[in-house]
Amino acid sequence: MPNVQVHSLFTDFDIDLFKGGKHYRLYEKLGSHLVEVDGVAGTYFAVWAPSAKSVSVVGNFNSWDSDDHKLNVRWDSSGIWEGFIPNIGKGEVYKYKIQSNNNNIWTEKADPFARYCEHPPNTASIIWTAEHDWKDDAWMGYRKDKNGLDKPYSVYEVHLGSWKKNAENKFLTYKEFAIDLVNYVKEMGYTHVEFMPVMEYPYDPSWGYQLTGYFAPTSRFGSPEEFKFLVDAFHQNDIGVILDWVPSHFPEDAHGLGFFDGSNLYEHPDRRKGYHTDWKSLIFNYGRNEVRAFLISNAIFWLDQFHVDGLRVDAVASMLYLDYSREDGEWEPNMYGNNENLEAMSFIRELNEAVYSSFEGVQTIAEESTAFSGVSKSVEHGGLGFGMKWMMGWMHDTLQFFQKEPIYRKHHQNDLTFSMTYAFTEHFMLPFSHDEVVYGKKSLVYRMPGDEWQRFANLRLLFGYMFTHPGTKLMFMGCEFGQTEEWNFEQSLDWHLLQYDGHKGIQDFIKDLNHLYKSAPALYEKQFSPEGFQWIDYGDHENSVLTYVRKGHDEKNDLIIACNFTPVPRENYRIGNPKKGKLTEVLNSDDAKYGGGGNLNNKIKSSTKASHGHNKSIEITIPPLGIVILK
């Protein structure tokens, strides 16, 4: 009996879909699969390597000898090599040894569809099945109601390797995260958690953004079924899970996708389209059908197999523009003579159509930093089809404003008000992400001016302004308690800071902001509609005060917000009152329990005196460097 038996999981229809780039569940066919053939248990292998002269499976089971287990090439010009190897099963490590028709080049590659990988620095794939008894039926049943664009969406961004370490300063496991992290996110009131890339990656300083195992949760923290256990635990606590996903580039590591079968198989062969000089990585060939099917299958895989609720798509701008980070002469215009990558745009639209047509209640979120139009507009209306887009301009302008000494802020108030001129052109998510607390930018609290009291007051005001500005929210771990040091991927967050009142006050304020966001329909029902926002006054530059209204479907839920961006309290400050009724203060960032000075509005004076175009008005105290929210 031959070492490799002829066997296939592919039908002719599968092959047609694959060649046409329309097979969106390739993980069910390609890769390694435990099967039984003629009563004998073993593993079926299938790999796409159209430029190969021969492909062998090598591992400990054959002493890594490429002569022992040669796969069979299919007859249909699909470029797929496959076969059944009896008597090897779960837990075996393996790679593909590929001899290329291209000058007999040899490569030894990890399986692009491997479900589990060796712990770095080891690089082999592992035959695996991730059995898990899901207990999240309730969440999956009502997810579309929890995860909609008219629902609260407050995201806690996490790098699993550095959120917290154990007593020996080692990584926590997926199962430990299922207790510690789940309980913390729930206690803090976030609606979602977002993981920086958890797909297998070889190099820790890449933070996970240089992937080699697209279908395998990193083995740093445990097994694939243990990662499912973690997702399940979040769902059982009504918390959605978003994965950072990287279809924009991949590393040149010898065992990875690059030059896979001795040819530019996954990457674009033209270095002007196929290589990132910034990240020294390769760019997918978005015009190749099989590569599109690989990437869309990967997105579908995490939503299908791991019950993930959303994908935050990394570096979309780098995909959209042919001249991204390139000088003149380093890129070639498209057929229309401009700089848009038409193949990448087509791929993105197909990706989003496939995701939204396959799953109810999921979201795709674009990290896109330019003014590209229609990122979150539906494909049928000419957009790219994402559910949301990061509002990078808001983040940049807001932090630039807050870094200024308060005495100068009156000259720059337009940095804050400008966002409202374009706030509803996309479905925007407001991000304070990991990128804002690294590379010398300082932590958020240390970007605030003034003495220690003013730094913390500024930070509370910044977060209060963020939560009352239209759009969904994202906050990187550590920001929620005023981490003082820049983020360091090699060490735990500085949890010891919570023994100090200022840091504990920030954390308590974020808890209350999250609770308010989830309980106040005015903050989320129309968060992507101009009907959900109304200025009272954006022109009081001299006092550095902004006042505005947030609205939901029912006007009785409307909120009035007043922000004071100076350390001078504004007492008896008159605000036009847009509607009748008694007003009460529902949140004040200067509350003593947050570390503030206690300038609260226990009684709000109402008046028939007209102000700001309204027949009635109120007088309140807006505390120094404070935000007041009234209902």
Side-chain angles (χ1 to χ4, degrees):
M1 182 178 291
N3 289 341
V4 177
Q5 297 177 28
V6 174
H7 185 71
S8 184
L9 296 182
F10 285 92
T11 65
D12 291 343
F13 184 53
D14 285 324
I15 297 299
D16 288 343
L17 288 175
F18 177 54
K19 287 180 178 180
K22 301 297 183 184
H23 202 308
Y24 299 152
R25 296 186 184 243
L26 285 173
Y27 53 89
E28 295 176 348
K29 308 290 179 174
L30 288 166
S32 59
H33 299 269
L34 296 173
V35 296
E36 194 174 283
V37 175
D38 296 332
V40 178
T43 303
Y44 165 78
F45 295 89
V47 61
W48 179 51
S51 291
K53 181 185 291 185
S54 70
V55 178
S56 301
V57 182
V58 295
N60 293 330
F61 56 89
N62 61 15
S63 302
W64 301 88
D65 187 337
S66 60
D67 291 329
D68 280 4
H69 294 91
K70 293 181 181 290
L71 297 179
N72 309 299
V73 66
R74 288 185 63 90
W75 62 90
D76 49 23
S77 73
S78 62
I80 294 172
W81 298 73
E82 61 183 353
F84 172 74
I85 302 178
N87 302 315
I88 67 168
K90 184 174 179 178
E92 288 281 1
V93 298
Y94 70 100
K95 284 185 177 179
Y96 296 118
K97 190 71 174 282
I98 302 170
Q99 182 185 17
S100 178
N101 277 313
N102 184 7
N103 297 322
N104 280 332
I105 293 171
W106 286 84
T107 59
E108 190 170 290
K109 296 291 186 178
D111 188 342
F113 284 84
R115 303 294 183 89
Y116 196 18
C117 302
E118 285 189 301
H119 193 299
N122 295 330
T123 58
S125 303
I126 305 174
I127 299 170
W128 205 257
T129 56
E131 303 299 330
H132 177 71
D133 181 18
W134 289 95
K135 295 179 172 61
D136 64 350
D137 288 354
W139 168 268
M140 297 300 282
Y142 55 65
R143 176 174 68 178
K144 63 181 180 294
D145 297 321
K146 287 273 189 178
N147 221 23
L149 295 177
D150 59 348
K151 296 296 189 294
Y153 218 95
S154 180
V155 182
Y156 187 57
E157 185 189 26
V158 174
H159 177 260
L160 287 174
S162 58
W163 180 72
K164 188 183 285 186
K165 299 288 182 77
N166 65 18
E168 289 79 42
N169 199 36
K170 294 181 179 178
F171 295 139
L172 298 185
T173 66
Y174 291 129
K175 286 209 162 185
E176 289 171 326
F177 284 122
I179 299 172
D180 291 9
L181 182 58
V182 170
N183 288 340
Y184 182 74
V185 173
K186 184 176 184 179
E187 178 193 355
M188 290 300 297
Y190 292 100
T191 64
H192 293 74
V193 67
E194 178 184 310
F195 295 131
M196 290 168 68
V198 296
M199 302 81 183
E200 193 61 79
Y201 57 99
Y203 187 50
D204 283 346
S206 79
W207 309 338
Y209 288 97
Q210 300 272 10
L211 305 182
T212 51
Y214 271 77
F215 291 83
T218 178
S219 56
R220 287 167 174 80
F221 315 114
S223 66
E225 56 266 40
E226 288 169 339
F227 183 61
K228 288 182 176 180
F229 182 84
L230 173 59
V231 174
D232 203 349
F234 273 112
H235 285 173
Q236 290 175 56
N237 285 276
D238 270 0
I239 298 164
V241 178
I242 304 165
L243 298 188
D244 219 333
W245 186 58
V246 191
S248 48
H249 65 115
F250 58 93
E252 292 190 281
D253 292 65
H255 68 289
L257 297 178
F259 212 55
F260 187 82
D261 60 355
S263 72
N264 302 119
L265 188 61
Y266 288 91
E267 67 272 23
H268 200 287
D270 184 343
R271 296 283 276 191
R272 294 174 297 180
K273 293 182 179 180
Y275 185 72
H276 266 305
T277 54
D278 287 358
W279 305 319
K280 295 182 171 49
S281 56
L282 301 171
I283 303 171
F284 285 103
N285 184 353
Y286 303 110
R288 189 163 192 169
N289 285 342
E290 297 90 343
V291 172
R292 292 163 75 107
F294 168 82
L295 286 170
I296 295 175
S297 289
N298 186 240
I300 297 292
F301 170 77
W302 294 101
L303 299 165
D304 172 32
Q305 297 289 300
F306 286 82
H307 290 201
V308 166
D309 308 295
L311 298 172
R312 177 267 192 187
V313 183
D314 183 60
V316 172
S318 75
M319 301 168 67
L320 293 176
Y321 294 104
L322 296 165
D323 60 345
Y324 181 87
S325 200
R326 297 181 191 274
E327 302 295 332
D328 289 345
E330 295 178 346
W331 64 282
E332 184 179 47
N334 63 29
M335 60 190 289
Y336 301 112
N338 65 37
N339 65 344
E340 293 178 344
N341 188 330
L342 302 177
E343 293 172 341
M345 290 166 59
S346 169
F347 159 72
I348 289 169
R349 291 184 175 113
E350 186 177 347
L351 162 74
N352 282 317
E353 285 185 310
V355 165
Y356 282 106
S357 64
S358 300
F359 300 95
E360 267 197 322
V362 299
Q363 298 292 347
T364 59
I365 305 162
E367 188 235 352
E368 203 286 311
S369 54
T370 75
F372 191 96
S373 179
V375 172
S376 59
K377 185 185 287 186
S378 68
V379 173
E380 63 181 314
H381 291 105
L384 293 181
F386 285 100
M388 285 176 265
K389 168 182 170 170
W390 276 21
M391 198 175 188
M392 309 292 276
W394 171 88
M395 177 272 299
H396 176 268
D397 291 347
T398 300
L399 289 178
Q400 186 169 277
F401 176 87
F402 269 85
Q403 284 173 231
K404 290 179 170 62
E405 291 288 344
I407 194 171
Y408 302 119
R409 288 178 176 175
K410 64 182 178 181
H411 304 297
H412 300 277
Q413 196 148 304
N414 61 304
D415 284 351
L416 292 184
T417 58
F418 177 66
S419 65
M420 294 312 303
T421 65
Y422 65 94
F424 305 109
T425 59
E426 301 276 2
H427 298 152
F428 279 120
M429 173 176 279
L430 314 182
F432 287 137
S433 75
H434 63 275
D435 281 327
E436 302 316 308
V437 291
V438 289
Y439 297 146
K441 293 180 181 177
K442 300 181 182 178
S443 64
L444 288 189
V445 70
Y446 275 2
R447 291 167 82 167
M448 303 294 109
D451 59 21
E452 182 175 283
W453 188 92
Q454 290 190 21
R455 287 184 189 274
F456 282 107
N458 266 304
L459 191 60
R460 294 193 301 272
L461 173 57
L462 172 67
F463 290 144
Y465 169 67
M466 173 196 195
F467 271 78
T468 56
H469 188 288
T472 55
K473 330 296 174 186
L474 177 135
M475 184 180 297
F476 183 56
M477 63 182 199
C479 296
E480 81 280 7
F481 62 81
Q483 167 104 2
T484 51
E485 297 299 317
E486 283 193 352
W487 171 53
N488 182 343
F489 73 91
E490 295 183 294
Q491 65 188 43
S492 168
L493 296 179
D494 293 332
W495 294 102
H496 64 277
L497 293 175
L498 286 169
Q499 66 186 299
Y500 302 110
D501 291 343
H503 296 279
K504 185 66 168 62
I506 294 287
Q507 187 188 53
D508 288 341
F509 187 57
I510 294 298
K511 286 181 190 177
D512 287 349
L513 278 173
N514 274 324
H515 174 74
L516 178 66
Y517 182 36
K518 291 191 293 186
S519 62
L523 293 178
Y524 60 79
E525 286 181 340
K526 296 182 178 181
Q527 58 193 343
F528 299 127
S529 167
E531 296 176 355
F533 180 89
Q534 177 187 344
W535 284 116
I536 296 175
D537 186 9
Y538 59 83
D540 189 1
H541 303 274
E542 283 302 317
N543 287 309
S544 290
V545 169
L546 288 178
T547 50
Y548 48 94
V549 183
R550 290 298 309 278
K551 302 178 177 183
H553 297 309
D554 188 338
E555 68 172 19
K556 74 180 182 184
N557 295 321
D558 289 359
L559 298 177
I560 292 178
I561 295 98
C563 302
N564 175 10
F565 298 102
T566 73
V568 180
R570 305 300 177 191
E571 297 175 343
N572 301 315
Y573 190 90
R574 186 172 298 280
I575 300 173
N577 188 0
K579 56 191 284 283
K580 296 178 181 178
K582 183 181 177 183
L583 284 164
T584 56
E585 186 174 78
V586 294
L587 198 66
N588 186 322
S589 65
D590 199 50
D591 198 313
K593 66 182 179 180
Y594 307 134
N599 291 278
L600 306 182
N601 291 280
N602 296 316
K603 289 185 178 180
I604 297 172
K605 299 176 185 175
S606 297
S607 170
T608 56
K609 186 175 181 178
S611 182
H612 299 114
H614 302 290
N615 294 327
K616 299 182 183 297
S617 61
I618 56 171
E619 287 185 9
I620 62 170
T621 294
I622 315 178
L625 298 171
I627 181 171
V628 171
I629 304 175
L630 310 172
K631 182 176 179 181

